[in-house]
Each structure stands twice: as structure tokens, then as C-alpha cells.
Amino acid sequence: MSDLFAREPKKPLAEALRPTSLDEVIGQAHLIGPGKPLRLAVESKTPHSMILWGPPGVGKTTLARILAHSFDAEFIPLSAVFSGVKDIREAVDRAQAVLQRDGRHTILFVDEVHRFNKSQQDAFLPYVESGLLTFIGATTENPSFEVNSALLSRAQVYVLNALTDDDFKALFARAVASGALTGLSFDETALATLSGYADGDARRFLNLLEQTRTAASARRVERIDADFLSEVLTVNARRFDKGGDAFYDQISALHKSVRGSSPDGALYWLTRMLDGGADPRYLARRLVRMAWEDIGLADPRAARIALDAADTYERLGSPEGELALAQAAIYLAVAPKSNAGYKAYNEARAFIRQDISRPVPVHLRNAPTKLMKELGYGHAYRYAHDEPHAYAAGETYLPEGIEDSRWYEPVERGLESKIQEKLRFLRQLDEETKAPPRS
């Protein structure tokens, strides 16, 4: 017997304002605007398998529900966090029953599909292939790395974007129109602060509005400004996944800012990652790598400064040690750039990997025994310190057949310009040893 007095739990604001049609969705105009892919799919009544890839709170689940409703399809949601192959089989059985009973198609929605392993992802394939299921997966991770190629080939990937400030203004207007914020007034600084705290996430934005409403009620405040929000809101770190795309995108941005000689860019991305929870020790290691890869011998001090910054962080920890990392990033950005050493190493390594095992030239071999000396090991070796300019002009130090290989070519920046000048001088000496004597 049902309880006539049972009460339904009050829906959170994010759930209460969840869109029920494409026209109500805020953001993602590149997918649902006129003439765009998902709008065309709905208008033509032609569902297809897809993967919705984007950060949290941008409407992946909402879009999947709207699509299922628009196609009059059975909607079966699964979470890869809690589901397994057994759940997939049950979904298939349900899809078959719905098809036989009602003639209706089924959309299987898998949230966080990247958490399914290969065998679990493979379990979808026969039913997607046969047309029994239209598969919609949602993921915050790059499908190229996290989704099987077989499943990728059967699903269109759509990239969803984080919400913009204009999107948040529209979402705020909807919350006001719903009556959820009755009795409260928000100034421009408050709305900008909420948008910043939300960091592109609509769900977070609406949850922050609810927190604000609760705090305002408790303090009997009607006007909301940025100062009030900073006092009452508990704000999580910005969007940052220590093992996902956001992590690698941001470290890439940091590295490219250093390489591009942008101290402000380097400082921004370093601070952004620290704010998001990145391990400062990892960032310190990356700075050392940048010093050797993109600056090298153009400014050898860069590597020393990066190492000193890493050591400083080890001694001081956070937050004091982070200042050393910041100043190292600034120095690396403004230092003269050269990847000559990096290129030389990679080219030499690539050559050696495909080359034969060439013997060491006899004159370069060590000769610790009488037999080795009798075999000529070390014979005719020229001791550079006894030669003019401490350089044995015309001598070769590479195996036979590759004596003329030249991998390291310094650039005309920083200290490497001096290195280049010296190498030109030494090569001129080499050329003079090859020239015929003057008559």
C-alpha cells in the first residue's frame, strides 16, 4: 500500500533547471544551433552512436536524455563507475524486450565510459553493429586514448565546451525566472565572481547559487556582492585532472610559453597548475627539462637556476617554495633559446638505432696491455693539449664511414653564438690540414 503522505525530496537547483529540449540548452551552439550536427539529427529523426567529450557540468547527460526523448527511444543510463558486463547484458535484454513489445529503439547512455576496460567496451560492439542499441558515451577524457578504436570507429565524437561568461548570465537569468532567487539581488561583481568560481561548469554554478541562497537566508542578507561570496562560499580547486587532458594541456601550455619567451604566459600556467593541485615537484622536474630542451647551451645558467628552484622547493615546501619555481619559469622564458643540443642528441640517437655496430677507430682505443699496443691500439693518437690551440686539427673521432657527420649546429643566440664562432675556427683549422702545401 502506497503512503499517501510520502514526500518527494526537494530537487537541487541543477536538477530542477535541467533542460528538456535542445532549445533550452545553454551553450554548445556549435552542436545544437541551426544546421549543426545534433540539431540536424533530431530534426531528421535519425539517431546515431556518439561520444560526448567535454569537462564536467557542460550538459553531456542532459543532451543524451534530450536526444532519447526526441527520438522517442527507450533510455537506459549506465555509469561506468558502478556498472559491469552484467549490467550491459541486462540492458541488452531490456532493449530486445522493448523492441519486441513496443517496436521502440533503445539508446544506451554510458556516463564516464572511459572507466570501462577493453572487454567491457567490447561488449557493446555486437549490439551497436546490429542496430539494437544506439550508443551514447560521455567522457571527460580524450577518447583517442581512453576508448577502444573499434568503438570509436562506430561512434561520432562531439566535443562540448566549457560554459562562457555569457552562458552563465543566461543561466543566472533562468534561475531568477524560476523564482529560486526571490528576495535576493546580485550586483555585477557577484555574478562575475560566481562565473569565475564555476570555472565553466553549469552544475557547479547552480550549486554555488544554492549555497549563496542558504547563506543569505541564514545571515538575513538581501544584496549579494563579491565580498559576501568570498566569505560564505566554499570553493573547490579549479577544473584540473592530475592524470587527464586538462593536466597535459596545461603542462603543454606552460612548456610552449617558456619556449615562446612569454614570461607572463609561463607564470600564468605555472600558477594555474599550482592552484589546481598539481604536484610542485613534478612542475620543478618539467622546468629542468625545459631548460635543457629549449635553452641548452645558449644559457647554461638556466639549468642551474631550474635545479636550484627545485632544491629550494624541497627545503621550503608550499607555499614559500613555489616562489622559486615561479622565478625559475620567468627566467627560462626570457633566456636565449636553443634546441641545437636537443636536436643533436635526437639525431645521433636515431642514427645509432638504425646503424650497424661500428668498431672504435684503432687510434682511439685504450691500450692497457702489451698485446693491445702490439696490435696498434692507441697508436698515432694525438694528445690535443700538445697541439696548437689545444686542438689536433684534422683528427677524426667518429668511426670509419661517418667521419663527416655533423649533428650539433649551435645557434647564433646567447652563449651558443660564441660556441658557433669557436667551432667555425676549429673547422677552418681542419680544412687547412686538408689543403695541399703551397709551392
Side-chain angles (χ1 to χ4, degrees):
M1 181 177 177
S2 62
D3 185 351
L4 297 177
F5 299 99
R7 295 181 179 180
E8 291 292 325
K10 186 177 181 180
K11 291 182 179 179
L13 187 58
E15 186 62 32
L17 297 184
R18 185 186 291 274
T20 58
S21 70
L22 289 185
D23 292 332
E24 294 178 0
V25 174
I26 293 174
Q28 317 311 330
H30 64 296
L31 296 179
I32 63 175
K36 299 304 180 181
L38 297 185
R39 175 75 63 175
L40 291 175
V42 168
E43 292 174 348
S44 62
K45 300 292 184 181
T46 52
H48 60 276
S49 292
M50 66 187 74
I51 294 172
L52 304 176
W53 171 29
V58 296
K60 297 185 291 293
T61 302
T62 294
L63 280 176
R65 290 182 179 276
I66 290 173
L67 291 173
H69 178 74
S70 300
F71 297 132
D72 190 29
E74 184 78 2
F75 183 73
I76 303 178
L78 294 181
S79 170
V81 176
F82 304 110
S83 305
V85 173
K86 176 177 177 292
D87 301 283
I88 297 172
R89 289 173 180 158
E90 290 177 355
V92 169
D93 292 340
R94 179 175 161 187
Q96 290 173 332
V98 168
L99 182 64
Q100 295 301 318
R101 184 182 70 243
D102 304 326
R104 294 171 64 231
H105 190 63
T106 293
I107 287 181
L108 177 64
F109 173 69
V110 180
D111 195 17
E112 299 192 80
V113 65
H114 59 275
R115 295 183 182 273
F116 269 157
N117 59 35
K118 184 178 185 302
S119 63
Q120 290 169 320
Q121 292 184 28
D122 285 345
F124 299 123
L125 295 178
Y127 310 107
V128 173
E129 191 74 26
S130 69
L132 176 66
L133 297 173
T134 293
F135 169 77
I136 300 181
T139 180
T140 57
E141 302 294 331
N142 191 330
S144 302
F145 305 125
E146 304 295 340
V147 178
N148 289 355
S149 57
L151 188 55
L152 270 179
S153 69
R154 293 164 173 81
Q156 180 67 44
V157 176
Y158 294 115
V159 180
L160 280 71
N161 299 324
L163 270 64
T164 65
D165 288 344
D166 287 340
D167 293 331
F168 283 128
K169 289 178 181 177
L171 190 55
F172 177 77
R174 182 171 296 173
V176 170
S178 74
L181 303 176
T182 300
L184 299 179
S185 63
F186 290 71
D187 66 16
E188 286 296 323
T189 64
L191 189 53
T193 300
L194 285 169
S195 298
Y197 285 169
D199 201 26
D201 186 328
R203 187 185 305 108
R204 181 186 290 187
F205 181 83
L206 294 173
N207 289 341
L208 290 170
L209 279 180
E210 282 199 297
Q211 289 182 39
T212 302
R213 182 178 63 186
T214 301
S217 176
R219 295 193 178 194
R220 298 185 179 181
V221 171
E222 294 182 354
R223 182 167 178 76
I224 309 300
D225 57 20
D227 291 338
F228 178 78
L229 293 175
S230 65
E231 290 178 13
V232 302
L233 293 182
T234 302
V235 182
N236 297 326
R238 300 191 183 280
R239 184 172 61 248
F240 189 83
D241 183 347
K242 297 178 185 178
D245 264 19
F247 178 87
Y248 293 108
D249 286 347
Q250 290 179 29
I251 196 65
S252 173
L254 171 60
H255 197 150
K256 287 169 182 170
S257 297
V258 167
R259 182 182 296 146
S261 298
S262 172
D264 293 325
L267 192 58
Y268 172 84
W269 291 113
L270 178 77
T271 307
R272 173 84 176 269
M273 295 188 78
L274 289 170
D275 178 67
D279 182 0
R281 293 176 179 83
Y282 171 81
L283 295 175
R285 292 195 297 271
R286 293 295 303 200
L287 290 173
V288 174
R289 165 66 187 228
M290 293 172 207
W292 287 113
E293 179 177 336
D294 291 297
I295 298 167
L297 300 181
D299 185 354
R301 292 171 299 181
R304 184 66 263 167
I305 286 174
L307 285 167
D308 286 346
D311 289 344
T312 299
Y313 182 81
E314 287 297 332
R315 288 177 179 270
L316 299 183
S318 292
E320 293 87 349
E322 293 170 6
L323 174 60
L325 301 182
Q327 297 207 53
I330 292 171
Y331 187 92
L332 298 186
V334 300
K337 301 299 186 296
S338 172
N339 69 343
Y342 179 62
K343 287 173 60 180
Y345 167 68
N346 285 335
E347 290 172 11
R349 184 173 61 173
F351 176 84
I352 288 169
R353 282 178 174 173
Q354 56 82 38
D355 192 37
I356 61 174
S357 296
R358 298 175 186 269
V360 176
V362 173
H363 70 285
L364 296 180
R365 296 183 188 183
N366 191 29
T369 69
K370 180 180 179 182
L371 174 61
M372 290 177 173
K373 291 177 182 177
E374 291 174 351
L375 292 173
Y377 285 21
H379 179 68
Y381 169 67
R382 295 164 60 191
Y383 188 59
H385 291 287
D386 291 340
E387 304 271 350
H389 309 289
Y391 182 68
E395 184 64 280
T396 60
Y397 296 92
L398 288 166
E400 184 178 353
I402 61 170
E403 297 95 335
D404 295 327
S405 297
R406 188 178 294 178
W407 292 301
Y408 177 56
E409 292 289 351
V411 300
E412 294 184 355
R413 290 185 293 276
L415 180 63
E416 278 201 334
S417 62
K418 297 293 185 182
I419 296 174
Q420 185 183 76
E421 184 180 321
K422 178 176 180 178
L423 288 179
R424 285 174 179 164
F425 172 70
L426 297 180
R427 287 165 183 166
Q428 180 61 36
L429 295 179
D430 290 337
E431 290 299 319
E432 290 175 1
T433 63
K434 299 177 184 177
R438 295 179 181 178
S439 56

